[in-house]
Amino acid sequence: MVKTLSPFDLAGNEYLIEFVRGLGVPHDPPSGPTVRDVLLDLCVYLTGGLRAEVSRLQRCYRDLPFFHLVTEFLTERHGTGSYGSLVLRCVDLDDFSMTEFHLNVAPFSGRRDHINIKAWTQRFLNRFGVRDSDICYSTSGSGSNVKKAL
């Protein structure tokens, strides 16, 4: 909901309201603007945290590539919507643990060719301060268009 900025989808969803009522829980969905404002505040907070963590890791690794980029592109079942996801993985040098950063699940519009996939991916990586030189390896589906883009 944060990524698509569609706060009304959940707040006014009749199926959800009926489901909650079936549990015997009184529920009045909050107004759309309230949900939107809370989601935007949460989005800004989480994005800021991700950017700060990427900056910290860039200092730790001193310009060595350290991220493993995982991408996946999906099409809605029985629909026309297309979505992509981006996850970064790396070893945190402070405690040698594997860390994952879920950067995005967002609609993907246009042809799913390597040019559009590369532009879509770069747009979201740039938003979080990730440079091409920070990525040492990438994994994607088996499609040649995704492989060529990455």
Side-chain angles (χ1 to χ4, degrees):
M1 286 174 28
V2 169
K3 296 298 182 184
T4 61
L5 297 178
S6 302
F8 306 106
D9 288 348
L10 188 61
N13 185 299
E14 289 300 320
Y15 177 78
L16 174 70
I17 293 169
E18 284 303 313
F19 174 77
V20 172
R21 284 187 190 135
L23 297 173
V25 178
H27 173 69
D28 289 321
S31 69
T34 299
V35 174
R36 182 196 62 227
D37 293 346
V38 169
L39 287 175
L40 288 174
D41 287 346
L42 182 62
C43 182
V44 168
Y45 173 77
L46 293 174
T47 300
L50 284 169
R51 285 184 182 142
E53 191 62 15
V54 167
S55 292
R56 183 185 72 80
L57 289 166
Q58 286 169 331
R59 288 188 301 275
C60 288
Y61 276 87
R62 293 190 179 92
D63 294 325
L64 294 174
F66 59 96
F67 277 128
H68 173 193
L69 172 65
V70 181
T71 62
E72 184 66 39
F73 292 93
L74 308 161
T75 303
E76 285 179 345
R77 179 182 247 176
H78 307 298
T80 59
S82 182
Y83 299 89
S85 70
L86 291 177
V87 176
L88 294 176
R89 293 181 183 148
C90 73
V91 174
D92 190 328
L93 294 178
D94 288 343
D95 60 5
F96 297 103
S97 64
M98 179 61 76
T99 305
E100 285 191 347
F101 302 96
H102 296 267
L103 298 187
N104 206 359
V105 173
F108 185 89
S109 59
R111 291 184 50 164
R112 223 186 300 180
D113 60 15
H114 70 282
I115 295 169
N116 288 336
I117 291 171
K118 184 173 184 172
W120 184 90
T121 303
Q122 279 303 127
R123 183 171 65 248
F124 291 110
L125 291 176
N126 289 339
R127 179 179 292 171
F128 293 98
V130 178
R131 305 171 303 224
D132 286 341
S133 60
D134 294 334
I135 298 171
C136 62
Y137 188 77
S138 63
T139 302
S140 66
S142 60
S144 62
N145 55 347
V146 180
K147 287 181 179 180
K148 188 173 182 180
L150 300 178

